[in-house]
Amino acid sequence: QIFSGETAAVDAQPFGLVRCDYDRTLDPRGVLEARKAGAGLRKLQVRPQLFLSSPAPRAFYTLRLILTELKLDPEQIVTDRSIYEGALSALLNLVRAFPDDVSCAMFCGHNPGISELTGHLYNSYTPAMSTCEVVGLTMETCLLYTSPSPRDR
């Protein structure tokens, strides 16, 4: 499975334009980070078969941009409110519900939930993921890939 954090979003209330965290959308840096993440995954020949996203605009559009870079159909994204809410038990239930024939799935969610899920599946402490950081895990929960976080670039 591939797990992706969210990309850079506009501030919650820079000029009173956004009323709540959920409504925040991508800023120009976030768009660039999402495209870079998708290009990096394309070079690694990552081909997810299932795409799950928080319905929050910043996560949803992050995954759309990544899938576009992967030349995959972003119309196939499935949204689930529990990804936004980020409770570990709900995220684990989503992973457990993957169809048996899916060998690679992509999540796009939010901290701290997505980082907690990654740490739980990796069976190790995982520091909070940066925006648009991508971590890959095999079904055996061994680390497959981690992108450099934007703060390390």
PDB file of all heavy atoms in Angstrom, residues 40-74:
ATOM      1  N   GLY A  40       7.637  11.099  -8.900  1.00  0.00           N
ATOM      2  CA  GLY A  40       8.544  10.176  -8.213  1.00  0.00           C
ATOM      3  C   GLY A  40       7.988   8.762  -8.170  1.00  0.00           C
ATOM      4  O   GLY A  40       8.718   7.784  -8.387  1.00  0.00           O
ATOM      5  N   LEU A  41       6.706   8.643  -7.907  1.00  0.00           N
ATOM      6  CA  LEU A  41       6.079   7.317  -7.892  1.00  0.00           C
ATOM      7  C   LEU A  41       6.042   6.705  -9.286  1.00  0.00           C
ATOM      8  O   LEU A  41       6.202   5.488  -9.448  1.00  0.00           O
ATOM      9  CB  LEU A  41       4.667   7.419  -7.314  1.00  0.00           C
ATOM     10  CG  LEU A  41       4.600   7.748  -5.823  1.00  0.00           C
ATOM     11  CD1 LEU A  41       3.172   8.080  -5.413  1.00  0.00           C
ATOM     12  CD2 LEU A  41       5.155   6.616  -4.984  1.00  0.00           C
ATOM     13  N   ARG A  42       5.849   7.534 -10.315  1.00  0.00           N
ATOM     14  CA  ARG A  42       5.867   7.034 -11.698  1.00  0.00           C
ATOM     15  C   ARG A  42       7.235   6.454 -12.031  1.00  0.00           C
ATOM     16  O   ARG A  42       7.345   5.380 -12.624  1.00  0.00           O
ATOM     17  CB  ARG A  42       5.492   8.145 -12.682  1.00  0.00           C
ATOM     18  CG  ARG A  42       5.346   7.635 -14.119  1.00  0.00           C
ATOM     19  CD  ARG A  42       4.932   8.713 -15.102  1.00  0.00           C
ATOM     20  NE  ARG A  42       5.947   9.753 -15.179  1.00  0.00           N
ATOM     21  CZ  ARG A  42       5.749  11.027 -14.878  1.00  0.00           C
ATOM     22  NH1 ARG A  42       4.586  11.447 -14.471  1.00  0.00           N
ATOM     23  NH2 ARG A  42       6.729  11.892 -14.980  1.00  0.00           N
ATOM     24  N   LYS A  43       8.320   7.132 -11.608  1.00  0.00           N
ATOM     25  CA  LYS A  43       9.674   6.616 -11.852  1.00  0.00           C
ATOM     26  C   LYS A  43       9.896   5.273 -11.180  1.00  0.00           C
ATOM     27  O   LYS A  43      10.632   4.434 -11.679  1.00  0.00           O
ATOM     28  CB  LYS A  43      10.720   7.615 -11.358  1.00  0.00           C
ATOM     29  CG  LYS A  43      10.881   8.818 -12.241  1.00  0.00           C
ATOM     30  CD  LYS A  43      11.952   9.742 -11.701  1.00  0.00           C
ATOM     31  CE  LYS A  43      12.041  10.998 -12.536  1.00  0.00           C
ATOM     32  NZ  LYS A  43      13.008  11.953 -11.993  1.00  0.00           N
ATOM     33  N   LEU A  44       9.246   5.079 -10.033  1.00  0.00           N
ATOM     34  CA  LEU A  44       9.350   3.811  -9.308  1.00  0.00           C
ATOM     35  C   LEU A  44       8.378   2.756  -9.849  1.00  0.00           C
ATOM     36  O   LEU A  44       8.345   1.639  -9.356  1.00  0.00           O
ATOM     37  CB  LEU A  44       9.072   4.026  -7.817  1.00  0.00           C
ATOM     38  CG  LEU A  44      10.108   4.833  -7.072  1.00  0.00           C
ATOM     39  CD1 LEU A  44       9.626   5.147  -5.658  1.00  0.00           C
ATOM     40  CD2 LEU A  44      11.433   4.075  -7.015  1.00  0.00           C
ATOM     41  N   GLN A  45       7.589   3.139 -10.852  1.00  0.00           N
ATOM     42  CA  GLN A  45       6.603   2.263 -11.486  1.00  0.00           C
ATOM     43  C   GLN A  45       5.557   1.750 -10.502  1.00  0.00           C
ATOM     44  O   GLN A  45       5.124   0.605 -10.559  1.00  0.00           O
ATOM     45  CB  GLN A  45       7.296   1.112 -12.223  1.00  0.00           C
ATOM     46  CG  GLN A  45       8.218   1.605 -13.312  1.00  0.00           C
ATOM     47  CD  GLN A  45       8.921   0.490 -14.052  1.00  0.00           C
ATOM     48  OE1 GLN A  45       8.916  -0.669 -13.640  1.00  0.00           O
ATOM     49  NE2 GLN A  45       9.542   0.844 -15.158  1.00  0.00           N
ATOM     50  N   VAL A  46       5.158   2.617  -9.591  1.00  0.00           N
ATOM     51  CA  VAL A  46       4.103   2.290  -8.643  1.00  0.00           C
ATOM     52  C   VAL A  46       2.773   2.348  -9.383  1.00  0.00           C
ATOM     53  O   VAL A  46       2.486   3.318 -10.083  1.00  0.00           O
ATOM     54  CB  VAL A  46       4.119   3.273  -7.450  1.00  0.00           C
ATOM     55  CG1 VAL A  46       2.901   3.084  -6.562  1.00  0.00           C
ATOM     56  CG2 VAL A  46       5.401   3.106  -6.657  1.00  0.00           C
ATOM     57  N   ARG A  47       1.955   1.306  -9.249  1.00  0.00           N
ATOM     58  CA  ARG A  47       0.675   1.225  -9.951  1.00  0.00           C
ATOM     59  C   ARG A  47      -0.439   0.825  -8.985  1.00  0.00           C
ATOM     60  O   ARG A  47      -0.876  -0.316  -8.957  1.00  0.00           O
ATOM     61  CB  ARG A  47       0.741   0.205 -11.095  1.00  0.00           C
ATOM     62  CG  ARG A  47       1.811   0.462 -12.137  1.00  0.00           C
ATOM     63  CD  ARG A  47       1.632   1.733 -12.886  1.00  0.00           C
ATOM     64  NE  ARG A  47       0.438   1.709 -13.717  1.00  0.00           N
ATOM     65  CZ  ARG A  47       0.003   2.738 -14.399  1.00  0.00           C
ATOM     66  NH1 ARG A  47       0.643   3.881 -14.355  1.00  0.00           N
ATOM     67  NH2 ARG A  47      -1.086   2.650 -15.120  1.00  0.00           N
ATOM     68  N   PRO A  48      -0.911   1.755  -8.164  1.00  0.00           N
ATOM     69  CA  PRO A  48      -2.001   1.399  -7.246  1.00  0.00           C
ATOM     70  C   PRO A  48      -3.269   1.020  -7.996  1.00  0.00           C
ATOM     71  O   PRO A  48      -3.528   1.521  -9.092  1.00  0.00           O
ATOM     72  CB  PRO A  48      -2.190   2.654  -6.407  1.00  0.00           C
ATOM     73  CG  PRO A  48      -1.568   3.749  -7.181  1.00  0.00           C
ATOM     74  CD  PRO A  48      -0.529   3.156  -8.059  1.00  0.00           C
ATOM     75  N   GLN A  49      -4.029   0.129  -7.393  1.00  0.00           N
ATOM     76  CA  GLN A  49      -5.283  -0.326  -7.989  1.00  0.00           C
ATOM     77  C   GLN A  49      -6.500   0.258  -7.273  1.00  0.00           C
ATOM     78  O   GLN A  49      -7.606   0.198  -7.780  1.00  0.00           O
ATOM     79  CB  GLN A  49      -5.353  -1.849  -7.914  1.00  0.00           C
ATOM     80  CG  GLN A  49      -4.198  -2.522  -8.623  1.00  0.00           C
ATOM     81  CD  GLN A  49      -3.845  -3.827  -7.944  1.00  0.00           C
ATOM     82  OE1 GLN A  49      -3.500  -3.851  -6.771  1.00  0.00           O
ATOM     83  NE2 GLN A  49      -3.938  -4.908  -8.691  1.00  0.00           N
ATOM     84  N   LEU A  50      -6.271   0.782  -6.082  1.00  0.00           N
ATOM     85  CA  LEU A  50      -7.353   1.324  -5.275  1.00  0.00           C
ATOM     86  C   LEU A  50      -6.900   2.668  -4.731  1.00  0.00           C
ATOM     87  O   LEU A  50      -5.771   2.783  -4.250  1.00  0.00           O
ATOM     88  CB  LEU A  50      -7.668   0.357  -4.120  1.00  0.00           C
ATOM     89  CG  LEU A  50      -8.748   0.755  -3.126  1.00  0.00           C
ATOM     90  CD1 LEU A  50     -10.114   0.838  -3.807  1.00  0.00           C
ATOM     91  CD2 LEU A  50      -8.795  -0.258  -1.981  1.00  0.00           C
ATOM     92  N   PHE A  51      -7.762   3.684  -4.823  1.00  0.00           N
ATOM     93  CA  PHE A  51      -7.401   5.044  -4.421  1.00  0.00           C
ATOM     94  C   PHE A  51      -8.412   5.543  -3.393  1.00  0.00           C
ATOM     95  O   PHE A  51      -9.584   5.704  -3.719  1.00  0.00           O
ATOM     96  CB  PHE A  51      -7.394   5.987  -5.621  1.00  0.00           C
ATOM     97  CG  PHE A  51      -6.891   5.368  -6.898  1.00  0.00           C
ATOM     98  CD1 PHE A  51      -7.713   5.266  -8.000  1.00  0.00           C
ATOM     99  CD2 PHE A  51      -5.603   4.878  -6.979  1.00  0.00           C
ATOM    100  CE1 PHE A  51      -7.253   4.707  -9.181  1.00  0.00           C
ATOM    101  CE2 PHE A  51      -5.139   4.311  -8.149  1.00  0.00           C
ATOM    102  CZ  PHE A  51      -5.953   4.213  -9.255  1.00  0.00           C
ATOM    103  N   LEU A  52      -7.954   5.795  -2.180  1.00  0.00           N
ATOM    104  CA  LEU A  52      -8.825   6.259  -1.101  1.00  0.00           C
ATOM    105  C   LEU A  52      -8.357   7.621  -0.627  1.00  0.00           C
ATOM    106  O   LEU A  52      -7.167   7.839  -0.427  1.00  0.00           O
ATOM    107  CB  LEU A  52      -8.780   5.285   0.074  1.00  0.00           C
ATOM    108  CG  LEU A  52      -9.221   3.865  -0.221  1.00  0.00           C
ATOM    109  CD1 LEU A  52      -8.816   2.932   0.899  1.00  0.00           C
ATOM    110  CD2 LEU A  52     -10.716   3.826  -0.432  1.00  0.00           C
ATOM    111  N   SER A  53      -9.300   8.518  -0.419  1.00  0.00           N
ATOM    112  CA  SER A  53      -8.940   9.857   0.013  1.00  0.00           C
ATOM    113  C   SER A  53      -9.946  10.385   1.027  1.00  0.00           C
ATOM    114  O   SER A  53     -11.128  10.056   0.990  1.00  0.00           O
ATOM    115  CB  SER A  53      -8.915  10.808  -1.183  1.00  0.00           C
ATOM    116  OG  SER A  53      -8.636  12.135  -0.778  1.00  0.00           O
ATOM    117  N   SER A  54      -9.437  11.247   1.862  1.00  0.00           N
ATOM    118  CA  SER A  54     -10.314  12.098   2.655  1.00  0.00           C
ATOM    119  C   SER A  54     -11.106  12.948   1.665  1.00  0.00           C
ATOM    120  O   SER A  54     -10.580  13.326   0.612  1.00  0.00           O
ATOM    121  CB  SER A  54      -9.447  13.008   3.532  1.00  0.00           C
ATOM    122  OG  SER A  54     -10.152  14.146   3.934  1.00  0.00           O
ATOM    123  N   PRO A  55     -12.345  13.273   1.977  1.00  0.00           N
ATOM    124  CA  PRO A  55     -13.095  14.149   1.081  1.00  0.00           C
ATOM    125  C   PRO A  55     -12.702  15.625   1.207  1.00  0.00           C
ATOM    126  O   PRO A  55     -13.166  16.451   0.416  1.00  0.00           O
ATOM    127  CB  PRO A  55     -14.549  13.932   1.507  1.00  0.00           C
ATOM    128  CG  PRO A  55     -14.464  13.492   2.924  1.00  0.00           C
ATOM    129  CD  PRO A  55     -13.171  12.737   3.061  1.00  0.00           C
ATOM    130  N   ALA A  56     -11.846  15.967   2.170  1.00  0.00           N
ATOM    131  CA  ALA A  56     -11.399  17.360   2.296  1.00  0.00           C
ATOM    132  C   ALA A  56     -10.691  17.765   1.007  1.00  0.00           C
ATOM    133  O   ALA A  56      -9.881  17.001   0.470  1.00  0.00           O
ATOM    134  CB  ALA A  56     -10.475  17.513   3.497  1.00  0.00           C
ATOM    135  N   PRO A  57     -10.983  18.948   0.488  1.00  0.00           N
ATOM    136  CA  PRO A  57     -10.441  19.347  -0.812  1.00  0.00           C
ATOM    137  C   PRO A  57      -8.915  19.199  -0.944  1.00  0.00           C
ATOM    138  O   PRO A  57      -8.434  18.743  -1.974  1.00  0.00           O
ATOM    139  CB  PRO A  57     -10.866  20.807  -0.950  1.00  0.00           C
ATOM    140  CG  PRO A  57     -12.121  20.896  -0.146  1.00  0.00           C
ATOM    141  CD  PRO A  57     -11.897  19.970   1.027  1.00  0.00           C
ATOM    142  N   ARG A  58      -8.147  19.575   0.074  1.00  0.00           N
ATOM    143  CA  ARG A  58      -6.693  19.520  -0.067  1.00  0.00           C
ATOM    144  C   ARG A  58      -6.196  18.092  -0.260  1.00  0.00           C
ATOM    145  O   ARG A  58      -5.267  17.848  -1.021  1.00  0.00           O
ATOM    146  CB  ARG A  58      -5.996  20.207   1.091  1.00  0.00           C
ATOM    147  CG  ARG A  58      -6.197  19.556   2.439  1.00  0.00           C
ATOM    148  CD  ARG A  58      -5.620  20.439   3.554  1.00  0.00           C
ATOM    149  NE  ARG A  58      -5.730  19.856   4.859  1.00  0.00           N
ATOM    150  CZ  ARG A  58      -6.805  19.917   5.634  1.00  0.00           C
ATOM    151  NH1 ARG A  58      -7.881  20.553   5.211  1.00  0.00           N
ATOM    152  NH2 ARG A  58      -6.802  19.360   6.823  1.00  0.00           N
ATOM    153  N   ALA A  59      -6.799  17.118   0.402  1.00  0.00           N
ATOM    154  CA  ALA A  59      -6.393  15.718   0.239  1.00  0.00           C
ATOM    155  C   ALA A  59      -6.909  15.164  -1.089  1.00  0.00           C
ATOM    156  O   ALA A  59      -6.167  14.523  -1.841  1.00  0.00           O
ATOM    157  CB  ALA A  59      -6.905  14.880   1.397  1.00  0.00           C
ATOM    158  N   PHE A  60      -8.160  15.423  -1.384  1.00  0.00           N
ATOM    159  CA  PHE A  60      -8.764  14.912  -2.609  1.00  0.00           C
ATOM    160  C   PHE A  60      -8.002  15.401  -3.846  1.00  0.00           C
ATOM    161  O   PHE A  60      -7.674  14.620  -4.738  1.00  0.00           O
ATOM    162  CB  PHE A  60     -10.238  15.334  -2.672  1.00  0.00           C
ATOM    163  CG  PHE A  60     -10.958  14.831  -3.884  1.00  0.00           C
ATOM    164  CD1 PHE A  60     -11.340  13.509  -3.973  1.00  0.00           C
ATOM    165  CD2 PHE A  60     -11.254  15.685  -4.935  1.00  0.00           C
ATOM    166  CE1 PHE A  60     -12.003  13.030  -5.093  1.00  0.00           C
ATOM    167  CE2 PHE A  60     -11.915  15.230  -6.055  1.00  0.00           C
ATOM    168  CZ  PHE A  60     -12.298  13.897  -6.133  1.00  0.00           C
ATOM    169  N   TYR A  61      -7.692  16.695  -3.896  1.00  0.00           N
ATOM    170  CA  TYR A  61      -6.990  17.228  -5.063  1.00  0.00           C
ATOM    171  C   TYR A  61      -5.528  16.805  -5.082  1.00  0.00           C
ATOM    172  O   TYR A  61      -4.945  16.658  -6.155  1.00  0.00           O
ATOM    173  CB  TYR A  61      -7.170  18.736  -5.168  1.00  0.00           C
ATOM    174  CG  TYR A  61      -8.593  19.063  -5.541  1.00  0.00           C
ATOM    175  CD1 TYR A  61      -9.419  19.764  -4.676  1.00  0.00           C
ATOM    176  CD2 TYR A  61      -9.136  18.630  -6.750  1.00  0.00           C
ATOM    177  CE1 TYR A  61     -10.745  20.018  -4.995  1.00  0.00           C
ATOM    178  CE2 TYR A  61     -10.458  18.883  -7.082  1.00  0.00           C
ATOM    179  CZ  TYR A  61     -11.255  19.572  -6.204  1.00  0.00           C
ATOM    180  OH  TYR A  61     -12.558  19.818  -6.534  1.00  0.00           O
ATOM    181  N   THR A  62      -4.939  16.573  -3.929  1.00  0.00           N
ATOM    182  CA  THR A  62      -3.586  16.018  -3.896  1.00  0.00           C
ATOM    183  C   THR A  62      -3.569  14.674  -4.595  1.00  0.00           C
ATOM    184  O   THR A  62      -2.729  14.421  -5.470  1.00  0.00           O
ATOM    185  CB  THR A  62      -3.106  15.852  -2.435  1.00  0.00           C
ATOM    186  OG1 THR A  62      -2.973  17.136  -1.843  1.00  0.00           O
ATOM    187  CG2 THR A  62      -1.772  15.122  -2.365  1.00  0.00           C
ATOM    188  N   LEU A  63      -4.497  13.803  -4.230  1.00  0.00           N
ATOM    189  CA  LEU A  63      -4.532  12.478  -4.844  1.00  0.00           C
ATOM    190  C   LEU A  63      -4.866  12.568  -6.330  1.00  0.00           C
ATOM    191  O   LEU A  63      -4.292  11.835  -7.138  1.00  0.00           O
ATOM    192  CB  LEU A  63      -5.524  11.574  -4.103  1.00  0.00           C
ATOM    193  CG  LEU A  63      -5.515  10.106  -4.508  1.00  0.00           C
ATOM    194  CD1 LEU A  63      -4.113   9.507  -4.496  1.00  0.00           C
ATOM    195  CD2 LEU A  63      -6.437   9.307  -3.607  1.00  0.00           C
ATOM    196  N   ARG A  64      -5.752  13.466  -6.712  1.00  0.00           N
ATOM    197  CA  ARG A  64      -6.047  13.648  -8.153  1.00  0.00           C
ATOM    198  C   ARG A  64      -4.780  14.013  -8.929  1.00  0.00           C
ATOM    199  O   ARG A  64      -4.525  13.475 -10.001  1.00  0.00           O
ATOM    200  CB  ARG A  64      -7.108  14.726  -8.367  1.00  0.00           C
ATOM    201  CG  ARG A  64      -8.519  14.283  -8.052  1.00  0.00           C
ATOM    202  CD  ARG A  64      -9.531  15.352  -8.456  1.00  0.00           C
ATOM    203  NE  ARG A  64      -9.594  15.510  -9.905  1.00  0.00           N
ATOM    204  CZ  ARG A  64     -10.378  14.792 -10.704  1.00  0.00           C
ATOM    205  NH1 ARG A  64     -11.161  13.863 -10.219  1.00  0.00           N
ATOM    206  NH2 ARG A  64     -10.375  15.008 -12.010  1.00  0.00           N
ATOM    207  N   LEU A  65      -3.994  14.937  -8.382  1.00  0.00           N
ATOM    208  CA  LEU A  65      -2.762  15.346  -9.057  1.00  0.00           C
ATOM    209  C   LEU A  65      -1.755  14.209  -9.127  1.00  0.00           C
ATOM    210  O   LEU A  65      -1.089  14.009 -10.149  1.00  0.00           O
ATOM    211  CB  LEU A  65      -2.154  16.561  -8.354  1.00  0.00           C
ATOM    212  CG  LEU A  65      -2.934  17.865  -8.521  1.00  0.00           C
ATOM    213  CD1 LEU A  65      -2.470  18.901  -7.497  1.00  0.00           C
ATOM    214  CD2 LEU A  65      -2.807  18.403  -9.946  1.00  0.00           C
ATOM    215  N   ILE A  66      -1.614  13.454  -8.047  1.00  0.00           N
ATOM    216  CA  ILE A  66      -0.690  12.318  -8.045  1.00  0.00           C
ATOM    217  C   ILE A  66      -1.118  11.288  -9.090  1.00  0.00           C
ATOM    218  O   ILE A  66      -0.291  10.805  -9.881  1.00  0.00           O
ATOM    219  CB  ILE A  66      -0.599  11.680  -6.640  1.00  0.00           C
ATOM    220  CG1 ILE A  66       0.144  12.615  -5.690  1.00  0.00           C
ATOM    221  CG2 ILE A  66       0.090  10.314  -6.698  1.00  0.00           C
ATOM    222  CD1 ILE A  66       0.115  12.184  -4.229  1.00  0.00           C
ATOM    223  N   LEU A  67      -2.392  10.956  -9.120  1.00  0.00           N
ATOM    224  CA  LEU A  67      -2.873   9.963 -10.084  1.00  0.00           C
ATOM    225  C   LEU A  67      -2.723  10.446 -11.516  1.00  0.00           C
ATOM    226  O   LEU A  67      -2.430   9.655 -12.417  1.00  0.00           O
ATOM    227  CB  LEU A  67      -4.328   9.598  -9.788  1.00  0.00           C
ATOM    228  CG  LEU A  67      -4.559   8.854  -8.473  1.00  0.00           C
ATOM    229  CD1 LEU A  67      -6.041   8.571  -8.282  1.00  0.00           C
ATOM    230  CD2 LEU A  67      -3.736   7.583  -8.406  1.00  0.00           C
ATOM    231  N   THR A  68      -2.915  11.726 -11.745  1.00  0.00           N
ATOM    232  CA  THR A  68      -2.718  12.276 -13.087  1.00  0.00           C
ATOM    233  C   THR A  68      -1.273  12.078 -13.524  1.00  0.00           C
ATOM    234  O   THR A  68      -1.005  11.692 -14.670  1.00  0.00           O
ATOM    235  CB  THR A  68      -3.121  13.761 -13.124  1.00  0.00           C
ATOM    236  OG1 THR A  68      -4.515  13.856 -12.789  1.00  0.00           O
ATOM    237  CG2 THR A  68      -2.881  14.372 -14.498  1.00  0.00           C
ATOM    238  N   GLU A  69      -0.329  12.334 -12.618  1.00  0.00           N
ATOM    239  CA  GLU A  69       1.094  12.112 -12.932  1.00  0.00           C
ATOM    240  C   GLU A  69       1.383  10.635 -13.188  1.00  0.00           C
ATOM    241  O   GLU A  69       2.269  10.305 -13.962  1.00  0.00           O
ATOM    242  CB  GLU A  69       1.987  12.626 -11.801  1.00  0.00           C
ATOM    243  CG  GLU A  69       2.044  14.129 -11.686  1.00  0.00           C
ATOM    244  CD  GLU A  69       2.707  14.803 -12.875  1.00  0.00           C
ATOM    245  OE1 GLU A  69       3.681  14.251 -13.439  1.00  0.00           O
ATOM    246  OE2 GLU A  69       2.242  15.894 -13.254  1.00  0.00           O
ATOM    247  N   LEU A  70       0.636   9.754 -12.520  1.00  0.00           N
ATOM    248  CA  LEU A  70       0.816   8.312 -12.708  1.00  0.00           C
ATOM    249  C   LEU A  70       0.079   7.795 -13.938  1.00  0.00           C
ATOM    250  O   LEU A  70       0.121   6.607 -14.245  1.00  0.00           O
ATOM    251  CB  LEU A  70       0.326   7.548 -11.472  1.00  0.00           C
ATOM    252  CG  LEU A  70       1.173   7.684 -10.223  1.00  0.00           C
ATOM    253  CD1 LEU A  70       0.466   7.057  -9.027  1.00  0.00           C
ATOM    254  CD2 LEU A  70       2.535   7.052 -10.430  1.00  0.00           C
ATOM    255  N   LYS A  71      -0.626   8.695 -14.634  1.00  0.00           N
ATOM    256  CA  LYS A  71      -1.435   8.337 -15.807  1.00  0.00           C
ATOM    257  C   LYS A  71      -2.533   7.337 -15.438  1.00  0.00           C
ATOM    258  O   LYS A  71      -2.849   6.423 -16.187  1.00  0.00           O
ATOM    259  CB  LYS A  71      -0.561   7.768 -16.935  1.00  0.00           C
ATOM    260  CG  LYS A  71       0.653   8.609 -17.296  1.00  0.00           C
ATOM    261  CD  LYS A  71       0.296   9.711 -18.241  1.00  0.00           C
ATOM    262  CE  LYS A  71       1.523  10.389 -18.812  1.00  0.00           C
ATOM    263  NZ  LYS A  71       1.860  11.639 -18.205  1.00  0.00           N
ATOM    264  N   LEU A  72      -3.112   7.533 -14.240  1.00  0.00           N
ATOM    265  CA  LEU A  72      -4.226   6.718 -13.769  1.00  0.00           C
ATOM    266  C   LEU A  72      -5.469   7.600 -13.673  1.00  0.00           C
ATOM    267  O   LEU A  72      -5.366   8.816 -13.590  1.00  0.00           O
ATOM    268  CB  LEU A  72      -3.894   6.099 -12.412  1.00  0.00           C
ATOM    269  CG  LEU A  72      -2.720   5.117 -12.420  1.00  0.00           C
ATOM    270  CD1 LEU A  72      -2.339   4.725 -11.003  1.00  0.00           C
ATOM    271  CD2 LEU A  72      -3.049   3.886 -13.252  1.00  0.00           C
ATOM    272  N   ASP A  73      -6.628   6.985 -13.669  1.00  0.00           N
ATOM    273  CA  ASP A  73      -7.890   7.712 -13.719  1.00  0.00           C
ATOM    274  C   ASP A  73      -8.284   8.270 -12.350  1.00  0.00           C
ATOM    275  O   ASP A  73      -8.702   7.515 -11.470  1.00  0.00           O
ATOM    276  CB  ASP A  73      -8.986   6.775 -14.231  1.00  0.00           C
ATOM    277  CG  ASP A  73     -10.322   7.464 -14.398  1.00  0.00           C
ATOM    278  OD1 ASP A  73     -10.406   8.705 -14.219  1.00  0.00           O
ATOM    279  OD2 ASP A  73     -11.299   6.754 -14.712  1.00  0.00           O
ATOM    280  N   PRO A  74      -8.188   9.586 -12.165  1.00  0.00           N
ATOM    281  CA  PRO A  74      -8.558  10.169 -10.876  1.00  0.00           C
ATOM    282  C   PRO A  74     -10.053  10.084 -10.579  1.00  0.00           C
ATOM    283  O   PRO A  74     -10.469  10.294  -9.445  1.00  0.00           O
ATOM    284  CB  PRO A  74      -8.083  11.618 -10.980  1.00  0.00           C
ATOM    285  CG  PRO A  74      -7.970  11.897 -12.427  1.00  0.00           C
ATOM    286  CD  PRO A  74      -7.682  10.585 -13.101  1.00  0.00           C
TER     287      PRO A  74
END
